[in-house]
Every structure is written in structure tokens, then in C-alpha cells.
């Protein structure tokens, strides 16, 4: 066989012809390198066979191997079975497979088979019922007496794990020569890592579980490091553009604070200081502000915006929906009454001339703070001196529409705010190029929210206490998963539910309806009536999920709670308990599977958003949590972002140190890393300054 290289087509590997290479290609394996990096998904332990005479009949699982001395195929009766007797020279066992008639053509007298399973005793004879079995007629005796790790590769339609193992085995001896080293021996030793070639080999053929997990650790580290290198490079690039430095003086600080009818909390103070320090620099801030619902992020955003205005620049504040944009606009307007700060709202529902006027004022520098939806940045909105962009409630982690607004001239400072606490893992990955600030305590004087979990039958009993609260002047949300019930759905929709509530149990109260398919103006009108108290009960689809703030609304009933995601439920619940009164959240649901059960239990158990977020990520797994590959991260083959969090941190530390020392990876000892970067990230060249 010719000398193999990493990029040699897999067809030239021993045992691979055109047909096999076609099948391998379907698994994404085209080259020798692909093959070496195609790892077993897991290993099965094949236990060595025990002497039949040593079996007690009380073991959990055992393996025995012996000659088949007789067979019997019982075809008739209510429970047909296939049965045989095994003799290994020390004793005999009976083996029986119910409905095992198909085995009659496979298990014949005189062959040797191994069976493994849980033994039992029947009429003083040891027997196995429905065990796993394998033909070991050709297997040498010594192989049967040693435990063995059997690799299980992700198989293809026509390519079994065993065949893949054979093909991989053909190149494994050359791993040491083929797989390049990324680092010198010292770097690897300092971190207690295996060498990369040894790790690749051990991923396929470990001596034992410990060696396999060491190998996995090394390769997971490599993936984390590469990912963090890309993040470090991207960040380096972003902060290399100039931004307007926004100077802070004691007088400005005092004037801004005087705008708020309350003192900032200690948590808000800390965050405001971090932000002001960032804004004072002439490179753009990239900061993520996390704070549970109601923590008081809007105030922090406004503080930052006013700092921009004090420096004669403009700020844009963006919300994910028009309702929220309008709400921000109203709140900000209230804080700014009788100030000279000029603010404007820019949303889709506005008339053409009003809109044109706003756009002109923005371009001419006649507006200081503009509030709008994300359309603000996707459309051709021009600013005279934009210095700060605040993005509120960015739930869709993957969707980071940042580039368009950053395209021109000075880079604006950038503040993302999220009320969905971001698990540590994501803070280091999807948001890995942002600094993080956290508001970890709510403003004082808030009531507590009790959460109760009940079945559909329990609702009637709860409604009595809901009526009492309503009669006492409180307000309530009833949340439903769908707008209108479709034929094949058993969900009560908000529309029908409103009817039922308004004519039934809540007929003494005013019940309104809001859902996602209403035109924005209508939604806004309904919200206004709810805020004013002229609607007491709001039957709603999930549109109320984000950001709405009605302090008198202290009751939330979530129907079909099992249909909602954990983060979503947490968001929903955050709509209540915003006043001084204690609030109650009633989850009505019938969780049918353990995960749905767990979700509701977590929610009933804690209101710590970070705990909930971690749990959510754990329950859903990163793939689903992120949404369909929107997150812009490469697929990780080995690393598990949740389980390997410590490695992720280590990789991050190392990657940022490498980039700080060698920003374009031009040093000789970084050349392999550079190649790997460029390969793993198509945009890698771009990150490396186009070289
Ligand atoms: P978030 O955007 O984090 O969900 P908001 O900024 O909307 O929270 O604030 C929630 C409520 O708390 C608002 O009604 C706001 O007026 C109030 N609030 C914010 N900061 C303070 C504070 N320092 N002291 C008292 N109330 C505050
Ligand atoms: Mg908010």
C-alpha cells in the first residue's frame, strides 16, 4: 500500500473499494483524516465468559460460552419458544428465547455460542431467558477469557459498525505519524493532556475506560480551544474599530440619576459603573447585561443612553416587538418629562409621513434617543452620531443582527440585555465575545410569587381564590398555548377560553383577549386597557411573554403548562409579582413524560433564573436550546458544552492568551493552530486579517 497522507482518499485504505468508499462518503468520511476523526459513539464491554460450574443463579449478568448440545423449536402453544443447551465442559445451562423460532436456522448443534444475560434457576438447572448471544465457533479460547471494549461506531445504512471498525483498524497503526501535534510537549503536560496523536488512537482502541476518557478529554479540549480562538479573534477585530468615547463626570452622573424617582439598587450601581467605564473608552463596548425579569434593566439602559446624549451623541434602543418598543418609549418618556432630551419611536405601524419625518430627524441629529424594533437596524436608518445601541430582550440566542448597524464609520457601543438568564456555557460560547454584567437582585419592595402545580381537575377549586383577588382589585392573566383550536388539537385556545371565562366562572369581571395574530395597534389598545384596569382579566397567547409590566397583575394561570418550554414559563411568570403584593402563578397541566414533569417541578421549586436556565439547557440539550444551528458555532464532535464546562473555561483562557500574544497567529509555533482554525471556520481567514 502506498504511503497514506491525511488527505489521501479513503478509497486507498486497505479493504476499501469503490462501493465501500461510496458508503463511507455518505457518513462524511472521504479522506484518511476523516476516517481517523470518525470516533466510536460508545464502547460495549464484552465480558469474558465464566465457567458454567461457577454460576450461582443470583448474578445480575454473566456471560458463558459453550457448545450447543441440543436444540428444540417449540412452534405451537400460546408462548412458542426456541431452546438449546450449552455445555462448556464444567457444566450445562439451558437457554430459552420466547418467540425465538427464527433462531432455528442460526443456532445449530455443534457450534459454539456465547450468551450473556441474567441467569435464573428452574428445577435446579441454571437457565437464561432471552439473553444476548453471539456465534463464537471461530473465536480462539483465550479471547473469550479476556474482557474487551467493543467500539460502536455510528453506522450507515449499508455500513455496519463492525466494518467501520475494521477499516479504521487498518490505518490506526499510522496515527502517530499522520496526526499533527498542535502544541509542544510542555504545553500539553502543563494541562495534563494526552498528545493529540495518542488521543486519536485511543479514541478508537482504548486500553480501558480511563484511557478512553483521557483521550476524549484531550480532543474535547482541542475543540473548545479552536472555538474560543475564533471568538477571541472576532472580538479582537471588533474592538479594533474606533468608537465615540463617552465621558462621565460627577455632574452628568448626578443629572442622570435625578431623572429616576428612586435610588438605583446596589446591583444596578455596580452595572452602571461597569458600563460607564466601557463607554469612556474609544473602542466599542460589547457587553451583555443579564438580569431576571423585573430586575431593572431598562433603567440601566436609559442611564447609558443618557450618558450618550450628555456627550452629544445618539442612542438607539431596540425591543423585539412593537408592544415592547412602545412600552419602553412610554416609560422613557415618563422619566424624561420636562427634560430637553428628544426621543422618538420608530415602529412599523406608523404613517409614511410621520415615519419620514423621524428618519430625517435621526439623520439630521435632531433626535437623541430612538426606540424601535429590530427593524431599526435592518432597515436603512441613518444617524448623525450614533454612539450606543441597546438591544433588549434578545431571546433568540443565535440571531445576532449586529453587523448591519456596525458597518459604518465609528462602531457604536453595544449593550445586549436579556431577561432569560444565559447559562454559563452560553455566556462563554454564543455570547463569548461579550463582557458580562449581571443584576443579581431585584429592586426592593416586591411581593413574592408562589407557584402551584395542579391538574386540569384542580382548576375549579383555584378559581375561587382568583375571584377573591380580582374582587380586591388585582388583575389576572390566563395564558394559552394556541390562538385558535385546530381540528386536531385538544388545546383550548385563548379565543374560545375568553368566551368561556367571560360567560362562566369570571362573568362578574371584564375579560379581554390578546394574541399574536392581532394587528399591533389592536394589541396595544388591549394592553392599554389592561394597564388602566378597565380589563381585569387578560386571556392571552404567549405574546405577553416578554417584558410587559403591569404591577397590579398578580395572578397568572397558565393552561396546558406542559406545552411550554422552561425558559418560556419562567418569562411568563415574571410578568407577575411586579408590585408590592404577593402574587400567585398556577400551572395547570398534565405532564405526560418525565422531562415535562421535571420542567414543571423545577419551576414550582425555584424562581432563580440562572438555575432554571441551566436546567433548561440540560433538559433540552444544546442543539435544541440554540435553535436550528443558528448559533454560528461549529458542530462539536467530542466536547459536550455542559459536561465539559471546565475544559471550555480552560480552552477560553488559553485561546485569549494566545491571541493576546499573537493576534494573527503568525508565530512559527502557532502554524498548526492557524491551519486548524482556517479549516474549522470558513471565516477563519477573515478573522486572521485576510492573510
Ligand atoms: P427589567 O427590564 O429588568 O425587566 P424594568 O427595568 O422594567 O425591569 O424594571 C421593573 C420595575 O422596577 C419598573 O417598574 C421600575 O420602575 C422598577 N425599578 C427599577 N429600578 C428600580 C429601583 N432601583 N428602585 C425601585 N424600583 C425600581
Ligand atoms: Mg425589561
Amino acid at each position: 500500500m502506498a504511503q497514506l497522507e491525511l488527505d489521501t482518499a479513503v478509497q486507498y485504505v486497505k479493504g476499501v473499494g469503490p462501493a465501500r468508499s461510496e458508503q463511507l462518503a455518505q457518513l462524511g468520511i472521504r479522506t484518511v483524516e476523516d476516517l481517523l476523526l470518525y470516533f466510536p459513539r460508545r464502547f460495549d464491554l464484552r465480558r469474558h465468559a465464566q465457567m458454567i460450574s461457577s454460576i450461582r443463579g443470583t448474578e445480575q449478568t454473566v456471560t458463558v460460552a459453550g457448545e450447543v448440545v441440543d436444540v428444540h423449536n417449540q412452534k405451537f402453544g400460546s408462548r412458542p419458544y426456541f431452546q438449546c443447551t450449552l455445555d462448556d465442559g464444567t457444566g450445562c445451562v439451558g437457554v430459552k428465547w420466547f418467540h425465538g423460532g427464527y433462531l432455528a436456522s442460526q443456532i445449530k448443534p455443534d457450534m459454539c455460542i456465547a450468551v450473556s444475560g441474567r441467569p435464573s434457576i428452574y428445577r435446579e438447572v441454571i437457565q437464561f431467558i432471552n439473553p444476548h448471544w453471539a456465534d463464537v465457533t471461530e473465536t480462539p479460547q483465550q479471547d473469550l477469557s479476556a474482557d474487551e471494549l467493543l467500539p460502536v461506531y455510528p453506522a450507515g445504512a449499508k455500513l455496519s459498525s463492525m466494518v467501520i471498525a475494521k477499516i479504521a483498524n487498518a490505518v490506526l497503526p499510522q496515527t502517530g505519524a499522520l496526526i499533527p501535534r498542535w502544541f509542544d510537549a510542555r504545553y500539553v503536560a502543563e494541562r495534563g493532556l494526552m498528545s493529540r496523536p495518542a488521543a486519536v488512537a485511543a479514541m478508537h482502541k482504548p486500553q480501558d475506560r480511563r484511557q478512553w476518557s483521557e483521550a476524549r478529554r484531550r480532543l474535547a479540549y482541542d475543540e473548545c480551544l479552536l472555538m474560543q480562538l475564533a471568538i477571541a479573534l472576532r472580538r479582537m477585530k471588533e474592538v479594533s474599530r474606533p468608537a465615540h468615547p463617552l465621558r462621565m463626570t460627577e455632574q452628568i452622573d448626578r443629572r442622570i440619576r435625578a431623572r429616576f424617582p428612586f435610588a438605583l439598587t446596589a446591583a444596578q450601581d455596580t452595572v452602571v459603573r461597569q458600563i460607564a467605564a466601557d463607554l469612556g473608552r474609544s473602542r466599542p463596548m460589547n457587553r451583555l447585561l443579564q438580569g431576571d425579569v423585573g430586575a431593572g434593566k431598562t433603567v440601566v439602559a436609559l442611564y447609558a443612553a443618557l450618558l450618550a446624549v450628555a456627550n452629544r451623541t445618539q442612542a438607539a434602543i431596540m425591543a423585539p416587538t412593537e408592544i415592547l418598543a412602545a412600552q419602553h418609549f412610554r416609560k422613557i418618556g415618563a422619566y424624561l418629562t420636562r427634560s430637553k432630551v428628544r426621543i422618538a419611536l420608530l415602529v412599523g405601524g406608523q404613517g409614511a409621513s410621520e415615519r419620514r419625518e423621524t428618519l430625517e430627524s435621526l439623520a439630521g441629529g435632531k433626535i437623541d434617543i430612538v426606540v424601535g424594533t429590530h427593524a431599526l437596524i435592518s432597515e436603512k436608518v441613518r444617524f448623525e452620531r450614533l454612539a450606543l445601541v441597546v438591544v433588549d430582550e434578545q431571546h433568540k440566542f443565535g440571531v445576532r443582527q449586529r453587523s448591519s448597524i456596525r458597518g459604518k464609520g465609528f462602531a457604536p457601543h453595544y449593550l445586549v440585555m436579556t431577561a432569560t438568564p444565559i447559562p454559563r456555557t452560553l455566556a462563554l460560547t454564543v455570547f463569548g465575545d461579550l463582557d458580562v454584567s449581571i443584576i443579581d437582585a431585584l429592586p426592593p419592595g416586591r411581593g413574592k410569587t408562589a407557584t402551584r402545580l395542579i391538574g386540569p381537575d384542580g382548576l375549579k377549586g383555584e378559581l375561587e381564590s382568583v375571584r377573591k383577588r380580582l374582587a380586591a382589585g388585582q388583575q389576572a392573566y390566563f395564558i394559552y398555548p394556541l390562538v385558535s383550536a385546530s381540528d386536531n388539537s385538544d388545546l383550548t385556545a385563548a379565543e374560545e377560553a375568553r368566551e368561556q371565562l367571560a360567560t362562566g366562572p369570571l362573568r362578574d369581571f371584564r375579560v379581554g383577549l390578546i394574541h399574536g395574530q392581532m394587528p399591533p395597534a389592536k394589541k396595544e389598545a388591549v394592553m392599554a386597557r389592561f394597564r388602566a384596569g378597565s380589563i381585569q382579566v387578560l386571556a392571552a397567547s404567549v405574546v405577553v411573554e416578554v417584558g410587559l409590566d403591569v404591577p397590579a397583575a398578580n395572578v397568572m394561570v397558565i393552561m396546558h403548562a406542559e406545552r411550554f418550554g422552561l425558559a418560556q414559563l419562567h418569562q411568563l411568570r415574571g410578568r407577575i409579582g411586579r408590585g408590592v403584593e404577593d402574587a400567585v402563578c398556577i400551572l395547570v397541566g398534565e405532564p405526560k413524560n418525565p422531562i415535562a414533569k421535571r420542567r414543571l417541578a423545577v419551576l414550582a421549586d425555584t424562581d432563580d433564573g440562572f438555575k432554571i436556565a441551566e436546567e433548561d439547557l440540560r433538559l433540552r440539550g444544546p442543539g435544541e436550546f440554540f435553535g436550528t444551528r443558528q448559533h454560528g458555532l461549529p458542530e462539536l464532535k467530542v466536547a459536550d458544552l455542559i459536561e465539559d464546562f471546565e475544559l471550555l473555561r480552560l480552552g477560553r483562557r488559553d485561546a485569549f492568551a494566545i491571541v493576546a500574544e499573537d493576534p494573527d497567529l503568525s508565530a512559527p509555533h502557532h502554524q498548526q493552530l492557524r491551519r486548524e482554525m482556517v479549516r474549522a471556520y470558513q471565516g477563519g481567514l477573515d478573522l486572521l486579517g485576510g492573510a
Side-chain angles (χ1 to χ4, degrees):
M1 182 169 34
Q3 181 60 45
L4 293 178
E5 305 280 347
L6 281 180
D7 56 6
T8 306
V10 75
Q11 190 178 336
Y12 299 105
V13 173
K14 199 175 119 215
V16 182
R20 282 270 156 79
S21 91
E22 184 56 39
Q23 294 159 359
L24 285 166
Q26 276 169 16
L27 298 174
I29 305 172
R30 295 190 173 75
T31 65
V32 167
E33 181 169 33
D34 295 339
L35 180 62
L36 281 172
L37 298 182
Y38 194 81
F39 300 129
R41 188 181 333 124
R42 61 184 162 87
F43 288 87
D44 283 345
L45 184 63
R46 186 156 74 192
R47 307 293 321 221
H48 71 84
Q50 291 189 18
M51 287 189 296
I52 288 176
S53 62
S54 73
I55 311 275
R56 297 276 80 87
T58 53
E59 295 86 349
Q60 279 300 321
T61 32
V62 287
T63 301
V64 298
E67 200 180 313
V68 177
V69 291
D70 66 40
V71 298
H72 174 66
N73 191 9
Q74 177 68 42
K75 292 186 193 163
F76 307 106
S78 59
R79 281 188 98 190
Y81 59 84
F82 176 81
Q83 162 180 288
C84 70
T85 304
L86 292 189
D87 182 347
D88 75 346
T90 72
C92 290
V93 293
V95 189
K96 196 182 254 185
W97 288 272
F98 287 105
H99 302 286
Y102 64 97
L103 292 169
S105 61
Q106 299 175 33
I107 298 179
K108 301 261 168 72
D110 292 337
M111 64 191 270
C112 282
I113 67 168
V115 300
S116 87
R118 185 183 194 151
S120 56
I121 298 176
Y122 179 68
R123 293 189 181 156
E124 294 181 24
V125 176
I126 305 274
Q127 67 168 10
F128 289 83
I129 306 291
N130 300 335
H132 293 293
W133 74 280
D135 181 354
V136 294
T137 312
E138 307 283 330
T139 310
Q141 188 57 41
Q142 68 268 23
D143 283 9
L144 286 176
S145 56
D147 285 354
E148 197 186 354
L149 287 173
L150 288 184
V152 180
Y153 288 88
K158 292 196 185 134
L159 210 51
S160 71
S161 167
M162 235 149 65
V163 172
I164 299 171
K166 258 191 203 140
I167 297 170
N169 273 338
V171 290
L172 277 187
Q174 294 178 61
T175 311
L178 285 171
I179 294 289
R181 287 163 198 271
W182 290 12
F183 310 105
D184 58 34
R186 180 152 152 233
Y187 184 102
V188 171
E190 274 171 2
R191 288 157 184 78
L193 297 169
M194 249 183 180
S195 87
R196 187 167 160 92
V200 169
M203 283 297 278
H204 294 272
K205 260 197 154 174
Q207 272 157 20
D208 49 33
R209 297 237 174 234
R210 240 197 76 212
Q211 199 194 34
W212 176 78
S213 77
E214 283 301 303
R216 209 199 65 84
R217 180 166 177 272
R218 167 60 207 260
L219 295 169
Y221 171 84
D222 289 355
E223 286 183 347
C224 291
L225 182 88
L226 270 197
M227 174 213 276
Q228 293 296 326
L229 264 183
I231 289 169
L233 289 166
R234 191 197 309 153
R235 183 182 166 105
M236 181 71 103
K237 207 175 159 189
E238 272 171 6
V239 301
S240 68
R241 297 177 54 202
H244 294 288
L246 304 176
R247 279 180 234 300
M248 162 72 91
T249 64
E250 247 175 67
Q251 198 202 4
I252 292 176
D253 179 56
R254 211 170 333 110
R255 270 185 15 227
I256 295 178
R257 284 173 194 264
R259 286 278 145 211
F260 304 122
F262 38 69
L264 297 191
T265 63
Q268 283 169 324
D269 256 333
T270 308
V271 168
V272 157
R273 266 198 300 274
Q274 290 168 342
I275 291 174
D278 282 359
L279 295 179
R281 303 197 181 100
S282 51
R283 56 187 167 81
M285 168 173 81
N286 277 293
R287 193 168 277 278
L288 172 68
L289 174 56
Q290 300 191 55
D292 226 328
V293 275
K297 296 180 297 294
T298 310
V299 168
V300 170
L302 182 56
Y303 186 105
L306 290 174
L307 184 53
V309 176
N311 281 267
R312 309 203 174 287
T313 59
Q314 294 167 299
I317 299 178
M318 302 188 300
T321 65
E322 299 195 353
I323 297 192
L324 279 174
Q327 178 174 290
H328 274 317
F329 179 69
R330 199 170 36 248
K331 274 199 187 175
I332 290 172
Y335 288 127
L336 296 180
T337 27
R338 284 192 297 279
S339 87
K340 279 187 262 160
V341 179
R342 298 158 299 179
I343 62 175
L345 177 68
L346 193 66
V347 290
Q350 290 166 322
S353 66
E354 184 185 357
R355 189 178 173 75
R356 193 169 340 105
E357 206 172 293
T358 307
L359 288 173
E360 271 167 23
S361 304
L362 269 176
K366 294 197 189 77
I367 287 171
D368 302 307
I369 300 175
V370 64
V371 183
T373 58
H374 292 176
L376 255 188
I377 53 163
S378 45
E379 289 172 19
K380 285 188 227 120
V381 179
R382 287 188 302 121
F383 295 84
E384 196 206 30
R385 258 165 82 80
L386 178 67
L388 172 70
V389 174
V390 179
V391 183
D392 190 18
E393 310 278 10
Q394 191 151 14
H395 289 285
K396 299 190 187 100
F397 295 113
V399 184
R400 303 185 60 189
Q401 306 158 293
R402 303 163 48 180
S403 37
S404 54
I405 200 161
R406 307 175 137 211
K408 34 212 155 173
F410 280 91
H413 297 287
Y414 182 72
L415 180 67
V416 201
M417 305 198 294
T418 170
T420 312
I422 295 177
R424 313 175 295 169
T425 325
L426 303 200
L428 296 193
T429 52
V430 177
F431 291 95
D433 57 338
L434 303 179
D435 295 311
V436 178
S437 290
I438 298 178
I439 303 184
D440 53 7
L442 298 181
R446 296 280 174 85
K448 286 200 173 36
T449 300
T451 300
R452 272 209 291 283
L453 183 53
I454 60 173
D457 301 339
L459 182 59
K460 229 178 179 169
E462 294 288 334
L463 283 176
E464 186 47 43
S465 74
V466 172
R467 275 193 295 266
K468 273 206 193 104
R469 281 174 174 264
L470 290 173
Q474 297 192 1
Q475 290 172 278
Y477 294 102
F478 277 71
I479 311 285
Y480 300 84
L482 280 183
V483 177
S484 116
S486 56
D487 305 337
N488 55 2
S489 167
D490 58 347
L491 300 185
T492 321
E495 243 161 9
E496 291 167 14
R498 195 206 79 88
E499 280 308 306
Q500 283 171 17
L501 290 174
T503 56
L506 302 182
R507 70 178 95 67
D508 299 334
F509 305 97
R510 291 177 299 278
V511 184
L513 170 71
I514 190 168
H515 61 70
Q517 281 153 38
M518 284 177 165
K522 192 152 176 220
K523 272 190 243 176
E524 183 47 38
V526 173
M527 280 316 298
R529 293 178 57 207
F530 189 58
R531 236 184 333 262
S534 62
I535 291 175
Q536 292 157 288
V537 178
L538 194 57
S541 69
V542 280
V543 287
V544 301
E545 183 188 342
V546 278
L548 296 180
D549 192 5
V550 181
N554 266 327
V555 179
M556 179 172 283
V557 178
I558 303 179
M559 303 300 293
H560 300 287
E562 77 280 358
R563 301 281 173 132
F564 294 91
L566 195 45
Q568 209 177 12
L569 287 168
H570 178 61
Q571 277 289 320
L572 283 167
R573 183 173 59 179
R575 298 304 105 216
I576 56 171
R578 297 170 80 91
V580 291
E581 311 263 359
D582 285 346
V584 59
C585 176
I586 301 167
L587 304 172
V588 186
E590 291 183 288
K592 294 219 172 62
N593 63 60
I595 290 187
K597 273 202 185 96
R598 171 101 189 115
R599 273 205 303 264
L600 297 186
V602 168
L603 206 76
D605 198 49
T606 181
D607 57 4
D608 179 333
F610 282 93
K611 269 197 203 139
I612 290 173
E614 298 275 343
E615 193 63 35
D616 195 23
L617 181 58
R618 207 174 278 277
L619 288 177
R620 287 203 275 165
E624 214 187 309
F625 193 95
F626 285 128
T628 46
R629 302 261 312 122
Q630 277 185 325
H631 46 79
L633 297 177
E635 216 167 329
L636 299 174
K637 293 206 298 193
V638 179
D640 173 328
L641 290 179
I642 302 170
E643 302 305 327
D644 294 322
F645 184 72
E646 289 314 315
L647 279 181
L648 181 63
R649 273 235 291 254
L650 181 62
R652 181 175 178 85
R653 191 200 68 186
D654 291 341
F656 276 71
I658 289 170
V659 169
E661 171 210 315
D662 183 14
D664 50 5
L665 302 185
S666 57
H669 65 292
H670 288 150
Q671 287 320 291
Q672 187 56 36
L673 271 189
R674 190 191 161 92
R675 273 191 289 277
E676 300 286 349
M677 260 298 300
V678 169
R679 207 174 53 139
Y681 295 80
Q682 275 83 16
L685 277 174
D686 180 39
L687 292 172
L688 290 165

